[in-house]
Amino acid sequence: MIDVLIVGGGGAGLRAAIAVAETDPSLTVAVVSKVYPMRSHTVSAEGGAAGVIGDGDTLDEHCYDTISGGDWLCDQDAVEAFVAEAPRELIQLEHWGCPWSRENDGRVAVRPFGGMKRERTWYAADKTGFHLLHTLFQTTLKYRDVVRYDEWYVTKLLVDDGRVHGVVAVELKSGRVETIQARTVILATGGCGRVFPFTTNAAIKTGDGMALAYRAGAPLKDMEFVQYHPTGLPFTGILITEAARAEGGWLINKDGYRYLQDYDLGKPTPKPRLRSMELGPRDRLSQAFVHEQRQGRTVDTPYGAVVYLDLRHLGEAKIDARIPFVRELCRSYQNLDPATDLIPVRPVVHYMMGGVHTDLDGATPVAGLYAAGETACVSINGANRLGSNSLPEILVFGRRAGMAAAEFARSHRQSAPPAVQAQGEDERRRLERARERNPRGERVADLREAMQHTLEGAAGIYRTESALAAAVDTLADLRERAQDARVEDPSGTFNTELINLQELHTMLDVAQTIVACALNRRESRGAHQRSDFEARDDTAYLAHSLVHRAPDGTPSVGLLPVTITRWPPGERVYGRD
């Protein structure tokens, strides 16, 4: 029996593992990850991590930027806890060996980031996530009691009488199905960007943790809020970090015009300052792109309409010193050099503000079940996450979830009931039957593509009642068809076809919650823009969407009031002097 079992080996999961080991070295800890931990998606975060460090900055200012940027859907008690603890976590990373970039006088370097009034984003060139994940992974190695299940895929949470008792997982290299009993489980599997066709997210980000919790009886929260990042490469969806604009990059349309000066980005003046407008909130910048496209001012390419990110005026030396990975990506994937060429970019699905409903310590309504990172919704991000808040979020709430899970495991020492092992056997038989599907069924890839294009068409940057209602029916049909999807590979060894089918079921569950929540929220707020309800409605919708799985498998949506502490709802602002 494992004391704390963590599903996911990225930043949140590894930080939780360290917290458990530090809280009580006598506890056993296991990390189950469907990829080797250093291949987790945290490694791709480029720009930096926000934390108040001085030079006139204050915790209250970071709180206000976060709450305003989230269009007042953030729980303010969670934001206050997050902002207070973020600097301590970033300093702790420094002590563990994270190589933060430095100013000439030795101080940690910070850069501006979208939606932030102050320069508070710590960075390690433009490979911050890479160095952060290395630091956490190397730190876990000093704790002998942290056991890793690398390349195992969790298919089910074992729950009896409202309490979690472990998981069922498949070893990818052999196909062996194992019931792993645990006193507590922490979900840290990241987001679900792969439910959309064009995303910065790695192929592994299929919403596994969200679906596991949802099926086990824990509600999901704010699933309608899907963040588009304004600068993805048009063919691959690879992210060009916000750091490129923080260092002075411009967004221009086909006429070479910095079009953002024509849009309301949230600043209470007619036009934003030219030097700061590219650092408006991500939702507003992505929406501005759509308007440029509708007015014929974008550039058509084989991979969709684009605008250009112009870094040429920064010069080769600054690009190489501050954003070298941007140059590397452009050369490798677009065959261009940002020191001399324009970079074609377009909005791309990047991040989920929603996730598993938790309290400030990562606890879900299912006893013994916790969640942290992008899998969870605590909620500090509200309707729109500010760039550079996500990395400190996985640290702060990974630590909190680890400490809380450790305490739960210490106080609940009883053995799992016999029903748990029976559930594990049922799941093993289900997975064996999945290899025996009718070979005349539809291909997993075809069903996945249909799902992705349904989401893109109905729940993209702008939504309407009719499109969302049609998507409800389409997704229900796809869910039925997926039950008979074709699996041609009967083997156990690295049966990616079988795993892809399990991921398809996961993504369809998540996709249904996104559409259901978007249909229920009849207002426009942050990343959720309804063309048929264009105004923000604080009277009816200053509340989180809370979605449960009904007995027939369909989503049931309700509302949960937002926690307001000190900042009443007001006008969204950014970049205020």
Side-chain angles (χ1 to χ4, degrees):
M1 172 78 73
I2 293 167
D3 290 311
V4 181
L5 188 149
I6 300 165
V7 184
L14 295 180
R15 185 63 186 93
I18 295 168
V20 175
E22 290 181 331
T23 300
D24 188 342
S26 69
L27 296 177
T28 55
V29 186
V31 178
V32 183
S33 176
K34 68 177 176 181
V35 294
Y36 188 73
M38 279 309 304
R39 297 193 65 185
S40 299
H41 196 61
T42 306
V43 77
S44 70
E46 301 167 26
V52 173
I53 195 174
D55 287 337
D57 198 5
T58 66
L59 298 179
D60 278 2
E61 286 185 293
H62 190 182
C63 283
Y64 186 80
D65 286 351
T66 299
I67 293 163
S68 172
D71 224 345
W72 270 269
L73 205 73
C74 310
D75 283 333
Q76 295 180 15
D77 55 346
V79 173
E80 290 188 79
F82 160 70
V83 166
E85 296 174 24
R88 294 200 293 270
E89 285 296 308
L90 300 182
I91 291 170
Q92 180 64 74
L93 276 182
E94 161 89 357
H95 294 168
W96 285 335
C98 185
W100 298 116
S101 293
R102 299 282 177 174
E103 302 291 358
N104 291 334
D105 62 4
R107 292 180 300 165
V108 170
V110 290
R111 59 169 46 124
F113 236 67
M116 303 278 191
K117 291 193 291 289
R118 300 277 188 176
E119 295 187 0
R120 64 170 67 96
T121 297
W122 306 35
Y123 61 94
D126 56 353
K127 293 186 178 182
T128 307
F130 174 86
H131 291 297
L132 183 149
L133 193 60
H134 267 268
T135 300
L136 292 173
F137 180 67
Q138 290 164 359
T139 301
T140 64
L141 298 180
K142 73 180 183 181
Y143 297 105
R144 295 181 180 178
D145 291 331
V146 177
V147 177
R148 298 209 318 271
Y149 288 78
D150 294 342
E151 297 187 325
W152 285 68
Y153 181 68
V154 173
T155 64
K156 183 179 178 64
L157 289 174
L158 300 171
V159 177
D160 184 71
D161 196 23
R163 180 185 160 188
V164 72
H165 291 280
V167 305
V168 177
V170 182
E171 185 183 36
L172 301 185
K173 72 177 180 181
S174 67
R176 177 165 59 99
V177 180
E178 185 172 319
T179 296
I180 308 173
Q181 294 190 14
R183 294 188 169 88
T184 60
V185 174
I186 301 175
L187 299 172
T189 58
C192 60
R194 283 287 161 178
V195 299
F196 287 84
F198 187 61
T199 176
T200 64
N201 289 190
I204 59 174
K205 293 190 70 174
T206 52
D208 303 328
M210 296 175 187
L212 287 170
Y214 181 59
R215 295 167 185 166
L220 305 184
K221 185 165 65 183
D222 293 343
M223 293 300 290
E224 66 268 43
F225 296 104
V226 179
Q227 182 170 86
Y228 279 73
H229 196 290
T231 55
L233 294 179
F235 171 57
T236 60
I238 289 172
L239 177 70
I240 297 299
T241 173
E242 199 158 295
R245 288 174 282 125
E247 296 298 338
W250 300 337
L251 283 171
I252 60 176
N253 62 20
K254 72 174 186 179
D255 302 318
Y257 177 66
R258 291 177 69 186
Y259 60 89
L260 291 174
Q261 60 191 292
D262 294 340
Y263 294 92
D264 174 16
L265 303 179
K267 187 177 171 64
T269 55
K271 290 185 179 181
R273 292 177 299 159
L274 284 175
R275 69 183 179 89
S276 67
M277 64 185 171
E278 273 83 10
L279 290 180
R282 291 173 178 175
D283 57 338
R284 297 286 175 86
L285 266 61
S286 296
Q287 292 153 23
F289 172 91
V290 174
H291 291 294
E292 288 294 295
Q293 183 181 13
R294 289 173 177 172
Q295 295 172 55
R297 295 198 288 260
T298 56
V299 179
D300 291 329
T301 76
Y303 310 110
V306 302
V307 291
Y308 291 113
L309 178 62
D310 188 358
L311 306 181
R312 297 172 299 178
H313 54 285
L314 302 183
E316 186 174 5
K318 185 172 183 177
I319 290 172
D320 286 344
R322 306 294 285 266
I323 45 174
F325 194 45
V326 168
R327 195 176 192 188
E328 180 181 333
L329 289 172
C330 290
R331 284 171 160 170
S332 299
Y333 294 98
Q334 289 292 145
N335 195 29
L336 60 83
D337 186 346
T340 56
D341 303 314
L342 295 172
I343 307 170
V345 292
R346 54 175 283 206
V348 54
V349 169
H350 182 57
Y351 187 89
M352 291 297 300
M353 273 69 77
V356 182
H357 172 48
T358 75
D359 66 12
L360 270 65
D361 292 319
T364 76
V366 176
L369 180 63
Y370 299 80
E374 193 178 352
T375 304
C377 182
V378 62
S379 149
I380 68 161
N381 297 311
N384 172 65
R385 177 179 68 83
L386 293 190
S388 74
N389 268 354
S390 60
L391 287 181
E393 179 186 5
I394 65 178
L395 300 172
V396 168
F397 293 103
R399 173 180 170 272
R400 279 175 164 258
M403 293 174 63
E407 184 58 38
F408 187 96
R410 284 191 296 195
S411 58
H412 294 77
R413 309 301 297 174
Q414 61 268 36
S415 300
V420 169
Q421 194 64 39
Q423 287 181 38
E425 284 300 305
D426 287 345
E427 180 68 1
R428 181 184 61 78
R429 286 191 289 269
R430 184 189 72 82
L431 291 168
E432 287 177 352
R433 288 195 301 270
R435 296 195 186 104
E436 302 168 2
R437 295 288 182 188
N438 181 356
R440 290 169 294 184
E442 294 178 81
R443 295 174 65 243
V444 171
D446 292 338
L447 293 166
R448 182 175 60 228
E449 184 177 6
M451 173 203 66
Q452 291 171 331
H453 287 289
T454 298
L455 263 290
E456 182 76 13
I461 295 175
Y462 285 94
R463 294 107 181 251
T464 64
E465 186 104 6
S466 58
L468 289 166
V472 170
D473 295 336
T474 301
L475 291 173
D477 177 62
L478 289 170
R479 194 161 171 255
E480 284 295 317
R481 289 155 57 188
Q483 299 304 314
D484 295 314
R486 184 166 76 217
V487 176
E488 296 178 332
D489 185 356
S491 71
T493 303
F494 287 108
N495 190 333
T496 55
E497 195 175 19
L498 176 65
I499 298 303
N500 287 342
L501 176 59
Q502 307 315 306
E503 291 174 332
L504 175 63
H505 292 315
T506 288
M507 289 190 287
L508 283 167
D509 277 351
V510 170
Q512 286 187 303
T513 68
I514 293 172
V515 170
C517 290
L519 187 60
N520 187 68
R521 184 174 291 274
R522 306 180 85 182
E523 66 159 356
S524 288
R525 185 186 298 267
H528 171 72
Q529 293 292 305
R530 287 284 297 265
S531 300
D532 42 0
F533 296 95
E534 295 183 349
R536 192 179 87 186
D537 184 355
D538 288 339
T539 301
Y541 293 105
L542 188 61
H544 302 293
S545 298
L546 206 62
V547 55
H548 291 81
R549 191 172 189 262
D552 64 355
T554 59
S556 175
V557 184
L559 296 176
L560 179 71
V562 170
T563 300
I564 306 291
T565 59
R566 294 191 285 142
W567 295 276
E571 183 183 10
R572 280 186 70 184
V573 299
Y574 89 98
R576 177 182 284 165
D577 292 321

